Amino acid sequence: VSCSASHLIPLLGGGTINATAAANYICTNFNAVSSKLSDTTYAVNNTYLLFSAYLVFAMQLGFAMLCAGSVRAKNTMNIMLTNVLDAAAGGLSYYLFGFAFAFGAPSNGFIGRHFFGLENIPSPSFDYSFFLYQWAFAIAAAGITSGSIAERTQFVAYLIYSSFLTGFVYPIVSHWFWSTDGWASASRSDNNLLFGSGVIDFAGSGVVHMVGGIAGLWGALIEGPRIGRFDQSGRSVALRGHSASLVVLGSFLLWFGWYGFNPGSFLTILKSYDDGGPYYGQWSAVGRTAVTTTLAGSTAALTTLFGKRLLAGHWNVIDVCNGLLGGFAAITSGCAVVEPWSAIICGFVAAWVLIGCNKLAEKLKYDDPLEAAQLHGGCGAWGVLFTGLFARERYVSEVYSAGRPYGLLMGGGGKLLAAQIIQILVIFGWVTATMGPLFYLLKKLNLLRISRDDEMSGMDMTRHGGFAYIYHDEDDKSHSHIPGFMLRKVEPTNTNSPSPNNNSPSAV
Amino acid sequence: VSCSASHLIPLLGGGTINATAAANYICTNFNAVSSKLSDTTYAVNNTYLLFSAYLVFAMQLGFAMLCAGSVRAKNTMNIMLTNVLDAAAGGLSYYLFGFAFAFGAPSNGFIGRHFFGLENIPSPSFDYSFFLYQWAFAIAAAGITSGSIAERTQFVAYLIYSSFLTGFVYPIVSHWFWSTDGWASASRSDNNLLFGSGVIDFAGSGVVHMVGGIAGLWGALIEGPRIGRFDQSGRSVALRGHSASLVVLGSFLLWFGWYGFNPGSFLTILKSYDDGGPYYGQWSAVGRTAVTTTLAGSTAALTTLFGKRLLAGHWNVIDVCNGLLGGFAAITSGCAVVEPWSAIICGFVAAWVLIGCNKLAEKLKYDDPLEAAQLHGGCGAWGVLFTGLFARERYVSEVYSAGRPYGLLMGGGGKLLAAQIIQILVIFGWVTATMGPLFYLLKKLNLLRISRDDEMSGMDMTRHGGFAYIYHDEDDKSHSHIPGFMLRKVEPTNTNSPSPNNNSPSAV
Amino acid sequence: MAALSCSAGDLSPFLGGATNATAAAQYICSHFDAVSNKLVDTTFAVDTTYLLFSAYLVFAMQLGFAMLCAGSVRAKNTMNIMLTNVIDAAAGGLFYYLFGFAFAFGTPSNGFIGHHYFGLKQFPSPSFDYSYFLYQWCFAIAAAGITSGSIAERTQFVSYLIYSSFLTGFVYPVVSHWFWSGDGWASAARADNLLFGSGVIDFAGSGVVHMVGGIAGLWGALIEGPRIGRLMERVVLITANGVPSEERRSQLRFAGCTAALTTLFGKRLIVGHWNLTDVCNGLLGGFAAITGGCSVVEPWAAIICGFVAAWVLIGCNKLAEMFKYDDPLEAAQLHAGCGAWGIIFTALFAKEVYVNEIYPGRPGRPYGLVLGGGGKLLAAHMVQILVVVGWVSVTMGTLFSVLHRLKLLRISAEDEMSGMDLTSHGGCAYHDDGDQTEKTGFMTKVHQKEGTPSPYHSAV
């Protein structure tokens, strides 16, 4: 952009002759400005999306720490290996075909079919940053499932289900609800919307959390509970995780990552809304989303704290962390289209949904080491309903388009709620129909559950070459009594004197 | 923006008749460009602020890990629960009224009174992202205090003081010094500034760190030291934390988060300064702030390293971490208005301030498990003074406005220093007057300190349903030799069998 | 500077007659200038935002290194290794501020070393802003962090301080000057006179960061010799969560993923069980390798890169075992070995289009050999490997052997047996409780609080 008055003056000065030159001069400048503005817009939006994707990736770290802390020490290596591989295997399978199934438009309403191996990317509609963002979502779904079947699943089964989920089951669900071709998508391009509304699942309470949770439900159901989880008389016995610090670390990291998950789902930030002042635009909506997310999680954590205090009689940090995550899983669906005050309601109910689901699970002798099915499946389903109840007209018209049905309790009629209920049913059906048979087949092939001996002694020792924690140093004599004869005692009996010979160097 | 020469030519071509049309055409284009630019500015600034807020939130994670590592294993669950709740309860109370007290302009100089429950947000002056950012600051203040009173405080007391601090005490202080109406604010709109200068507390050495530190000081003083912290003869006995790894993890996370805390306090990044080249603007100031922050922390860490080596005779990573954080707490006040070289001085002095405060605390038998009062209170106060000494004229005029008093040692006279001293006194007075009586009242009601038995055996066991770490599995018989006769040994020598009676219900 | 808002009422009189041409032109142009200024500001703001947050993420790698180190050494040395990591960042901050940055980017200068901007004087300049310094500082401390892993568990703290300052303040900046600054003799960003007409394409530092750190570690570990009673035991790892930011595109991830998967199955075949730690190292190896070429290769090539990197790492480890070379974190193998592979890989697979996008203004640059770009780039990259190995060996090798002579390098055997935390750091990293008295390790004794587990006490 370089406009010089001395050039322009003669052009404007004369009569008709210079009109062309003057107009060209002015318009060239405008076009330069305009293309620069367009570059800026892409740069800002991609910066926003990329850093959001990094935050979502940090959730993987959170899942790993949460899982690690929630299992017993003897299975830590196993669960963390699955988490690392989740991200790695998910990256490859999502690159090769997952992304194509999910967003390969133009396509039919059921499955996409372009962009295999990122061919023709970047295109006008998708850039690499979008792929990266969606990949981070896909591995989050697989990460959820891994929690449900922890501590008793063969590693091979894990590899198989994880690739299947990230490469096929999850992409198809996200195609339905998020792609411009999906049969139930609210952003469908041809306006042939489900119930005239489409499903509003903004950041994936249904698409990500319910898929992961229900897959985990079937895995855990088919495997059965861990040994010792329910005693002979059928009473529930808590098998507590080995490190609350890691659980809290994981929960906070997930909280941190959720700021990429929910607000990041706008994909762009530079977009003005016409209805507010100049200061109001997508950036405000992004901020609002972050606020609703925070409030839902906070409320759920506090509700769980007091609820559990009444029910169980003591304060429990693990339950509070799970309540927190339940609140997040619930708000994920509606985060962009609800008011902050309704986020508080969302979190409050989510906490009770989680408590109820846990009671139910106990009754049914369902064992889920991380409560993943209850948390992500149960609270996720509540979140989908919640959006159908509380979505606000103005926000729906800003984020999707004007004239759409909105929340029942906000006076928008039942159409959105109907669409949301369809989503819950369809996701439940689809995941059950795909993952159920897969887990069943794995079980029949004896690839699903580890042997009883392995389970008793912990997979780290039998499959992963040793335990995760070695506080006891190896230089001393303790190797001599490497057990083997008593499988139930292989565990680091020495953890109890974790820092041996401190203060008494003579002991070395 | 779409300028087409073929449209413009006829307009310019004729005589006077088309002048209106031509002018309209050109101006429509300019206005389109201008509104697009305004959108871009909002988008960039909000992106910047949001990601800074996420980083500040990561400090909460840092506090949790730092606290967890610095207490004994038997109290880990307790301290981490408080950290999670800090963020959660803080989120609700700051949403409901804290933000309104702090920034509810127009108001008087003492307390704000608009925007309760985020009503009328977004407004031209505040957006959701600003709320999120301020919330992250508020919970940081509460997080500081929790360190001081760790390991001996009842959980209920924690809930009460935390809501009071985040919802009332802290917001009012931030109103005084940061809002456009505050009586001592440097960004006051009516130019009726304190000493013609206002207090320069850019990112909150005083507003956040001193408030948190002094609240902790009173809490810890009123509670008294932990059992065993000073032996019968009054000698100090170090009660060391249970995991240095967690302390380092926490310190690094705080360092990471501080890059949101200090540079983020600019709130915007897209703003040019007229006095430099085109390449010089708020973005450079933001970068400089990050550099001063880094240098102050680094210098303080190195100074502590060598200082402690001389005084104590060995290298100590915990002390180095505390020194590091002390440097950060000190630079926080002046980070935006000082030169990088003076940040080195700031860090150097901060390290000695911390060492001095610790010596003093030992003399006075003051027990603060995380040195929070010394670190945040002491180094924070030094930081406030430091700004009064070293603030540079050019930077003050860029960040605030031209013609303000600046640092005494830079030749700017004593007015700024006087204002800074007032700040220290006023914060000390206000926090003492509010938090002191609160803690005293809690003590009188027997809600403050846990019982002696609870303290000896650790709150995790008595209040939180079990210990944080279970490295040893519960299946074995080890429950049989339950001690209890020796109080000093009740502590989790049993971390090894922390979750009693699992799998061996017979032991119950 | 005029306002951005344009008013037709103001403009139309100017356009009315010929006499007002000057005013009209000025009116229009002042608006364009205002727009243009605003756009420049926006560009700076966006670029700085991007660079700053990237720098923060790179800094998070330091956190990753600390946890990786803490988990990879034996518990008795945890305090020691973590102190070194903290000091790394802190000392690195000071030295890089005082002269490291000046050596690296102090243009105008000769091809060997820079000589401006000591202590960030004359900052910000049109070419560099504070955020750029911050970003480069994070890279510098990453290099020192790599080395600290190699010599862990047996090095005196003083020698750590010395080598770390030397590496961040001198050795690394000089290398980065060669390959990254506008004046460097082998830089691809050089205005003219490029090495082999190509310059070295080391986009994010497979060579500059990873090989420098790895080779320095190699010499340190070689001169010190292996740890007493070396046993390969490992603890938890935290994956370095900052890694993805260092690079641009998603290629990075494929390399990491492929490397992780390859390592997984490779190790499964060789060792017979699934091993988390190996997978993590494989992952990092893949990242270290793709770092050099991440912006100029296609995603599918990244998969090849990662696949080979995993085998390079496995090979290097076998080799190290053969030569009785002990590196607690496999840092030399991982960063130097995979880093070197990454450099070669870039020369083989750099794509013409991307090379010209990243290094514009000079069409016809050589590109990857396998993609038909001829051997010039490969030659430049071979030179890079040799030069980096040579320079780091000469400087760091000398330093370590001097320290060794002065008996400042290795701790005493006694210290090593009992762990440095106890002997020089005032205690161990992990306490299971605060009572030091008779807290020994003689038995697996179990104390249980009297009575039952108190979940059922009514709290408060």
Side-chain angles (χ1 to χ4, degrees), chain B residues 128-150:
Chain B
Y128 290 106
S129 49
F130 182 72
F131 165 76
L132 204 75
Y133 191 70
Q134 293 300 337
W135 159 71
F137 269 61
I139 59 175
I144 290 168
T145 307
S146 73
S148 290
I149 58 175

Side-chain angles (χ1 to χ4, degrees), chain A residues 3 13 29 36 54 80 85 88 92 95 132 135 155 309 313-314 463-464 468 470 473-475 496 498 502, chain C residues 18 29 32 43 57 74 76 233 235-236 241 253-254 257 261 264 273-274 276 428 430 432 444 455 457 459:
Chain A
C3 187
N29 269 300
K36 178 79 184 167
Y54 302 157
M80 283 196 300
L85 284 179
L92 279 181
Y95 163 70
L132 201 76
W135 159 73
F155 190 69
R309 178 72 174 81
H314 55 82
R463 304 281 152 171
H464 297 277
I470 307 175
D473 283 317
E474 4 4 79
D475 318 283
N496 40 2
N502 312 345
Chain C
C29 278
F32 273 120
T43 308
L57 284 182
R74 288 164 294 179
K76 63 182 179 183
E233 308 278 346
V235 198
V236 205
N241 72 337
R253 257 196 16 264
F254 298 122
C257 293
L261 289 176
L264 175 74
H273 54 78
W274 312 101
L276 171 63
C428 282
Y430 300 102
D432 58 347
T444 64
H457 281 199

